[in-house]
Amino acid sequence: MTIRAARQDELELLRTLESAAGVLFRSIGMTDIAEHPPPPLQLFEQARQAGRLWVTVDADDHPTGFVLVTLVDGAAHIEQISVHPDHQGQGLGRRMIGHVDAWAAEQGLPALTLSTFRSVPWNGPYYARLGFQELSPQKLTSGLTDLLAAETAFGLDPAERIFMRRSVAGQ
């Protein structure tokens, strides 16, 4: 498994991959999430140009997963991380988070943050096993508060959303 920067000609494929990965939500009754359209192509392109979009690829250099990072209040915020269902359960998500951690350390960033579903087994509990800790509402930075407001406006239940943070290795 290799992690490399995403190429421009792969961006539409990453949107398709995101849609495929979302199907798991249907199996737990979260149909709205499963059917939600992937992020716009422009978001992928902005992240790619900024050097904050990476893919895992198979032996044929075909993307099997991706991680898209933004900067929020001085931390590397994992905006989206997805692995195609055919490649899930192989540690690709964990490896991509490790890659982002190393990148963040090189950038001098102190932490990784993300928002996720509290009760979905492959979300909140998974990230906790990777060292992320839930942030109380009082510990949310202004940028994370803005993200929560945007998620709520989008229709996500704020009671089911959590923000998590972990220190960057070596920081």
Side-chain angles (χ1 to χ4, degrees), residues 81-169:
I81 185 166
S82 293
V83 176
H84 191 279
D86 293 345
H87 300 277
Q88 290 174 351
Q90 301 174 22
L92 299 182
R94 179 179 41 78
R95 289 175 155 177
M96 284 190 283
I97 289 171
H99 182 84
V100 171
D101 189 90
W103 174 84
E106 289 173 5
Q107 304 302 308
L109 301 173
L112 306 181
T113 61
L114 55 83
S115 65
T116 193
F117 290 100
R118 175 182 311 284
S119 60
V120 175
W122 62 87
N123 280 183
Y126 170 76
Y127 294 118
R129 288 191 303 274
L130 296 180
F132 286 86
Q133 296 180 340
E134 182 176 350
L135 294 171
S136 68
Q138 298 79 16
K139 292 200 175 183
L140 294 182
T141 63
S142 62
L144 294 178
T145 300
D146 291 345
L147 287 175
L148 178 59
E151 290 179 354
T152 302
F154 172 74
L156 296 178
D157 179 358
E160 267 302 302
R161 299 299 289 169
I162 56 173
F163 283 80
M164 303 181 86
R165 177 183 173 102
R166 93 172 195 191
S167 294
V168 169

Side-chain angles (χ1 to χ4, degrees), residues 38-122:
L41 200 57
Q42 180 181 1
L43 179 65
F44 283 104
E45 178 58 17
Q46 289 171 344
R48 185 193 70 77
Q49 287 182 11
R52 297 189 306 259
L53 178 62
W54 298 275
V55 294
T56 56
V57 295
D58 61 17
D60 296 322
D61 200 39
H62 187 270
T64 57
F66 72 88
V67 60
L68 187 154
V69 173
T70 59
L71 299 178
V72 176
D73 297 329
H77 183 75
I78 299 171
E79 180 71 28
Q80 187 68 42
I81 185 166
S82 293
V83 176
H84 191 279
D86 293 345
H87 300 277
Q88 290 174 351
Q90 301 174 22
L92 299 182
R94 179 179 41 78
R95 289 175 155 177
M96 284 190 283
I97 289 171
H99 182 84
V100 171
D101 189 90
W103 174 84
E106 289 173 5
Q107 304 302 308
L109 301 173
L112 306 181
T113 61
L114 55 83
S115 65
T116 193
F117 290 100
R118 175 182 311 284
S119 60
V120 175
W122 62 87

